[in-house]
């Protein structure tokens, strides 16, 4: 019994699960439940009992649990042969004897209002039973009718196929982001149908009622459900769930059905899907030079194929066709990528129109994941489509790099039905709930708060006028301040002699000494302090050390000594510079003489030869002129010797 979700493609033996789901729990199982689990219970049994306690169908096994989203994802081939929710019984050829785990005891079916009711204007043919006996009687009659009159099922399938034929969604996925898009008012006008998001995929979710748990079918598990545990922790009394959610992939519904948003049309399509046990569908994906496709029938892959061609620019990114749209690139790599794109188109076309033509023609639906630019490569053009456009559906979730494993996982997601508890349903559908329009009071309150914030902001930005300081208006501004600021030394000294306080501060906290405009006034304060050290608190008046005749004489003596030392330093520096210059000149002269002695001298002018010498006979010359001059001299000397004279 291999698990298809874990990668196996071999058929799963459904006989055991079908028998367990069709028949009521045996006495041994009920006894084990009554004992609180016993030694034979394990984690899988606890998870199964938790699903039963939540009102989910009994075939929701622990292996179907998606722990991340807390939902059960059950493939269609794991359903029991005749299972159908009571709300869809009349649409699906009769309800099952056990529409949910809680209904195995034959409890009364709840009213549709427990699931949220139907919207006004929608037509529903399914009606709840009034009592326990009638519910079971109608369920049995529906089962018998389903076995004896298969024509109704054929009619339902034809109705579903006709609804699919009206679908005009032949565009496929326009981009990776558009694979999670949706259209239509679903969820705004319907109260039992809504959109939901689970693991990055879009679902259409139907709320179904849970029958009261009675008899042997009621869960007696000692393991509390998440809702019961939360209620126990909060001190409240746990209440039995009244509804649960059944969700299927939104790609199974045509665009017309989603845009209409009618409970009746959606229920008909859902009933047709739930009757399938071996869906005959195809899944194809094309992206970045990778193609993967497969045709499935039930759990088995009838045919499958994966193709890879070099079409993507490795470092720059993007396809070669996209790069050629701007400019023509001439390189060996671009030629290889163009050839890869051509071969990929030919191979996909051959696969879709020739090799797989028979298998694709027998498929009910073809699910695709392809960008808008590559759509013609996978599906053909509007005039020459590879497959009927009415069969093509967009996958409502993202796919990775197309491989057979990815395509198989996508098929499993589409062919699985999601079951969720009442509390989980609210979390899955929260993001799709319509936004409630604010009331008039809320709008007025919001406008009032906005106006108050604007006023506070304007008040904070308002510039307060700065008061200009004027001395004549300052009561603390004394005559000593005025005399000091005016630079009047005579009046300043007269005020100090009369007892004016130099520590007084004006309105800005300034003492008179602070207003002194030059060094002369500051020295006047210091001289007065030098002769009247004990008269005021000169530290508070900020006046430096006082100046007396003795301090002035010392200052002048220091200045003279400073000037004298400076003059001596200058004289010594001048003498030192003179000695250094003489020493340098002497050294240069010695170096010149040594260089001349070491160099070859010209035999004509006796100057040192600083470059390559000119040679004649055994003589060396510095210039050609010296060569000619010495030659003439030697010739003259030779002539004089011949004539008996001396040179």
């Amino acid at each position: 019994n291999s698990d298809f979700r874990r990668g196996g493609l071999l058929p799963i033996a459904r006989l055991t699960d079908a028998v367990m789901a069709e028949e009521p729990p045996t006495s041994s199982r009920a006894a084990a439940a009554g004992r609180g689990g016993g030694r034979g219970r394990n984690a899988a049994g606890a998870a199964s009992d938790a699903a039963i306690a939540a009102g989910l169908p009994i075939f929701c096994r622990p292996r179907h649990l998606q722990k991340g989203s807390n939902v059960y994802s059950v493939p269609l081939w794991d359903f029991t042969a005749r299972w159908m929710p009571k709300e869809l019984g009349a649409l699906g050829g009769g309800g099952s004897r056990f529409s949910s785990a809680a209904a195995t005891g034959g409890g009364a079916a709840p009213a549709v209002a427990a699931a949220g009711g139907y919207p006004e204007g929608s037509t529903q043919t399914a009606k709840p039973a009034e009592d326990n006996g009638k519910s079971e009687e109608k369920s049995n009659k529906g089962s018998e009718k389903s076995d004896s009159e298969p024509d109704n099922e054929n009619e339902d399938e034809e109705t579903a196929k006709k609804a699919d034929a009206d679908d005009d969604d032949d565009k496929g996925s326009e981009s990776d982001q558009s694979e999670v898009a949706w259209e239509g008012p679903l969820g705004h006008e319907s109260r039992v149908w809504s959109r939901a998001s689970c693991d990055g995929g879009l679902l259409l979710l139907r709320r179904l009622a849970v029958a009261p748990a009675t008899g042997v079918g009621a869960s007696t598990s000692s393991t509390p459900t998440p809702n019961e545990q939360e209620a126990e922790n909060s001190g409240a009394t746990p209440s039995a769930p009244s509804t649960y959610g059944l969700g299927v992939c939104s790609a199974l519904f045509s665009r017309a059905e989603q845009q209409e948003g009618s409970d009746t049309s959606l229920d008909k399509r859902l009933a047709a899907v739930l009757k399938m046990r071996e869906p005959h569908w195809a899944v194809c994906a094309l992206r970045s030079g990778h193609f993967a496709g497969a045709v499935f029938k039930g759990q088995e892959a009838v045919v499958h194929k994966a193709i890879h061609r070099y079409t993507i620019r490795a470092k720059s990114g993007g396809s070669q066709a996209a790069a050629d749209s701007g400019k023509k690139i001439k390189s060996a790599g671009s030629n290889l990528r163009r050839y890869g794109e051509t071969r990929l188109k030919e191979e996909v076309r051959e696969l879709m129109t020739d090799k797989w033509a028979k298998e694709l023609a027998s498929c009910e639906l073809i699910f695709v994941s392809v960008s808008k630019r590559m759509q013609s490569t996978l599906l053909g053009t509007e005039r020459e489509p590879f497959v009927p456009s009415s069969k093509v559906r967009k996958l409502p979730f993202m796919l990775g790099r197309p491989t057979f494993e990815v395509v198989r996982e996508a098929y499993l997601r589409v062919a699985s039905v999601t079951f969720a508890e009442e509390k989980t349903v609210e979390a899955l559908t929260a993001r799709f709930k319509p936004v409630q329009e604010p009331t008039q009071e809320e709008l007025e309150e919001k406008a009032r708060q906005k106006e108050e914030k604007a006023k506070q902001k304007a008040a904070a930005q308002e510039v307060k006028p700065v008061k200009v300081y004027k001395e004549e208006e300052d009561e603390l501004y004394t005559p000593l301040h005025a005399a000091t600021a005016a630079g009047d030394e005579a009046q300043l000294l007269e005020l100090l002699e009369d007892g004016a306080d130099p520590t007084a501060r004006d309105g800005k906290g300034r003492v008179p000494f602070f207003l002194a405009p030059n060094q002369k006034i500051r020295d006047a304060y210091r001289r007065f302090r030098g002769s009247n050290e004990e008269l005021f608190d000169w530290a508070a008046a900020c006046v430096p050390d006082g100046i007396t005749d003795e301090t002035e004489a010392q200052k002048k003596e220091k200045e003279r000594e400073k000037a004298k030392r400076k003059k001596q330093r200058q004289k010594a520096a001048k003498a030192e510079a003179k000695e250094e210059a003489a020493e340098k000149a002497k050294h240069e002269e010695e170096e010149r003489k040594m260089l001349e002695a070491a160099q070859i001298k010209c035999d004509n002018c006796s100057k040192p030869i600083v470059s390559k010498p000119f040679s004649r006979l055994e003589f060396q010359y510095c210039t050609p002129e010296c060569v000619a001059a010495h030659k003439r001299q030697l010739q003259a000397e030779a002539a004089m010797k011949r004539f008996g004279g001396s040179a």
Side-chain angles (χ1 to χ4, degrees):
N1 186 17
S2 61
D3 192 351
F4 183 76
R5 181 174 296 280
R6 296 179 181 176
L9 285 177
L10 297 178
I12 299 175
R14 296 175 295 169
L15 180 59
T16 303
D17 289 348
V19 172
M20 293 180 66
E22 282 291 307
E23 296 180 0
T26 60
S27 58
S28 60
R29 182 176 179 182
R35 291 194 299 269
R39 291 178 295 178
R41 296 189 57 83
N42 51 24
S48 180
D49 288 343
I52 295 173
L56 304 182
I58 196 171
F59 51 75
C60 291
R61 300 296 180 183
R63 68 172 182 270
H64 301 139
L65 178 62
Q66 305 293 324
K67 295 183 179 180
S69 52
N70 195 25
V71 298
Y72 290 85
S73 182
V74 184
L76 290 172
W77 45 84
D78 281 359
F79 280 44
T80 56
R82 300 177 182 177
W83 185 87
M84 184 67 65
K86 291 182 179 292
E87 291 84 349
L88 308 178
L91 301 175
S96 170
R97 289 180 296 165
F98 312 108
S99 64
S100 64
T104 56
V112 178
Y118 295 106
E120 296 180 4
S122 65
T123 305
Q124 287 290 351
T125 57
K127 296 181 180 180
E130 297 179 358
D131 52 55
N132 297 346
K134 292 181 180 181
S135 175
E136 185 174 357
E137 181 181 357
K138 289 184 178 181
S139 177
N140 294 335
K141 288 182 178 181
S143 301
E144 295 173 1
K145 185 176 181 180
S146 176
D147 295 336
S148 60
E149 297 181 11
D151 295 339
N152 293 341
E153 295 183 1
N154 296 334
E155 292 177 2
D156 293 338
E157 292 180 358
E158 293 176 1
T159 303
K161 292 181 179 180
K162 184 178 180 181
D164 293 342
D166 296 336
D167 181 19
D168 60 350
D169 185 8
D170 58 347
K171 296 182 179 180
S173 299
E174 296 182 356
S175 66
D176 291 343
Q177 295 298 331
S178 69
E179 293 179 0
V180 293
W182 63 88
E183 301 85 8
L186 186 63
H188 293 259
E189 298 178 356
S190 176
R191 288 173 289 182
V192 294
W193 279 93
S194 60
R195 286 186 176 86
S197 176
C198 182
D199 295 334
L202 285 177
L203 305 176
L204 294 187
L205 191 140
R206 174 65 153 88
R207 288 178 174 84
L208 299 173
V210 176
T214 58
V216 296
S219 174
T220 58
S221 171
S222 61
T223 303
T225 64
N227 293 340
E228 294 174 348
Q229 184 67 35
E230 182 178 354
E232 181 179 351
N233 296 337
S234 61
T237 303
S239 58
S242 60
T243 61
Y244 68 94
L246 184 151
V248 293
C249 181
S250 62
L252 297 176
F253 296 82
S254 65
R255 175 176 293 183
E257 291 170 341
Q258 296 187 44
Q259 290 179 343
E260 180 183 355
S262 171
D263 289 343
T264 304
S265 59
L266 296 177
D267 284 350
K268 287 182 179 179
R269 179 55 180 162
L270 177 60
V273 170
L274 295 180
K275 287 168 58 179
M276 299 180 184
R277 295 299 177 265
E278 291 188 352
H280 195 182
W281 298 336
V283 181
C284 298
L286 178 61
R287 182 173 129 191
S288 302
H290 294 264
F291 166 82
V295 177
F296 298 92
K297 188 171 184 180
Q299 304 176 65
E300 297 182 351
V302 180
V303 291
H304 63 88
K305 181 74 172 179
I307 304 173
H308 171 56
R309 289 291 179 180
Y310 174 50
T311 63
I312 301 301
R313 307 167 72 203
K315 295 184 178 180
S316 302
S319 64
Q320 185 61 41
D324 290 340
S325 61
K327 59 180 179 179
K328 187 69 173 179
I329 302 175
K330 297 181 180 180
S331 65
S334 63
N335 292 333
L336 289 175
R337 289 188 290 271
R338 293 188 189 99
Y339 173 77
E341 291 178 346
T342 303
R343 287 293 300 142
L344 182 63
K345 291 180 180 178
E346 293 174 355
E347 290 174 347
V348 172
R349 181 184 182 91
E350 181 182 7
L351 200 67
M352 301 291 286
T353 59
D354 185 13
K355 294 182 178 180
W356 287 7
K358 183 178 179 180
E359 288 79 2
L360 293 175
S362 61
C363 287
E364 301 169 3
L365 295 175
I366 301 174
F367 302 96
V368 298
S369 175
V370 62
S371 65
K372 185 177 182 181
R373 189 181 61 81
M374 298 296 294
Q375 179 178 321
S376 59
T377 302
L378 180 62
L379 302 175
T381 61
E382 294 183 0
R383 294 183 179 180
E384 298 181 359
F386 298 161
V387 293
S389 59
S390 59
K391 293 184 177 182
V392 178
R393 301 290 173 83
K394 296 183 293 184
L395 285 174
F397 47 83
M398 299 288 290
L399 295 184
R401 175 177 292 181
T403 60
F404 174 63
E405 289 74 14
V406 171
V407 168
R408 182 178 57 188
E409 181 66 23
Y411 169 71
L412 181 60
R413 291 187 65 175
V414 175
S416 297
V417 179
T418 300
F419 294 90
E421 301 180 27
E422 183 177 6
K423 186 175 181 179
T424 307
V425 169
E426 297 299 326
L428 298 179
T429 61
R431 58 177 293 189
F432 300 103
K433 290 184 178 180
V435 180
Q436 296 181 355
E437 296 183 0
T439 62
Q440 185 64 25
E441 296 180 355
E442 293 177 348
L443 293 175
E444 293 177 356
E445 179 66 19
K446 187 175 181 180
R448 186 183 62 79
Q449 293 178 358
K450 186 177 181 180
E451 185 178 356
E452 290 180 356
K453 289 182 179 180
K455 289 181 180 180
Q456 294 176 358
K457 186 176 180 180
Q461 295 179 350
E462 184 179 355
V463 180
K464 297 181 179 180
V466 180
K467 185 178 181 180
V468 180
Y469 176 79
K470 295 181 180 180
E471 290 81 357
E472 57 271 14
E473 297 179 358
D474 188 2
E475 298 178 354
L476 301 178
Y477 195 78
T478 63
L480 185 59
H481 285 88
T484 304
D488 191 346
E489 182 179 359
Q491 186 178 3
L492 182 149
L493 295 174
E494 182 180 354
L495 290 171
L496 289 174
E497 291 289 346
D498 293 341
D501 187 6
T503 64
R505 296 180 179 269
D506 61 0
K508 289 187 175 183
R510 300 173 298 178
V511 294
F513 183 80
F514 184 81
L515 302 178
N518 49 48
Q519 187 64 35
K520 180 181 178 181
I521 301 300
R522 287 192 286 272
D523 289 344
Y525 271 98
R526 295 182 64 190
R527 290 191 185 92
F528 189 84
R529 176 181 176 177
S531 58
N532 302 277
E533 186 68 33
E534 304 296 334
L535 189 59
F536 300 105
D537 185 1
W538 297 106
C542 300
V543 178
D545 295 338
I547 299 176
T548 61
D549 295 340
E550 183 179 357
T551 56
E552 285 186 350
Q554 291 177 356
K555 182 178 179 181
K556 289 179 180 180
E557 183 64 24
K558 287 181 180 180
E559 289 178 354
R560 284 194 296 269
E561 290 292 336
K562 185 177 180 180
K564 184 178 179 180
R565 288 194 299 270
K566 183 179 179 181
K567 189 174 182 180
Q568 290 176 353
R569 287 195 302 270
Q570 290 177 352
K571 186 177 180 180
K574 188 175 181 181
E576 186 178 357
K578 188 176 181 180
E579 291 178 0
E580 289 179 356
E583 185 69 22
K584 184 177 181 181
K586 183 180 178 180
H587 183 68
E588 290 177 353
E589 181 65 20
E590 291 177 353
E591 287 183 350
R592 186 182 63 79
K593 290 180 179 181
M594 291 175 63
L595 182 62
E596 289 179 356
Q599 290 178 340
I600 302 174
K601 294 183 179 180
C602 180
D603 290 324
N604 181 51
C605 63
S606 301
K607 293 181 179 180
I609 300 176
V610 296
S611 61
K612 186 177 180 180
F614 295 91
S615 300
R616 182 179 177 273
L617 302 178
E618 70 274 14
F619 304 106
Q620 302 289 333
Y621 306 99
C622 60
T623 61
E625 289 79 8
C626 289
V627 175
H630 193 245
K631 180 180 179 182
R632 289 191 298 269
Q633 182 181 357
L634 293 177
Q635 289 176 351
E637 291 177 354
M640 291 297 293
K641 288 180 180 181
R642 285 196 301 269
F643 289 110
S646 59

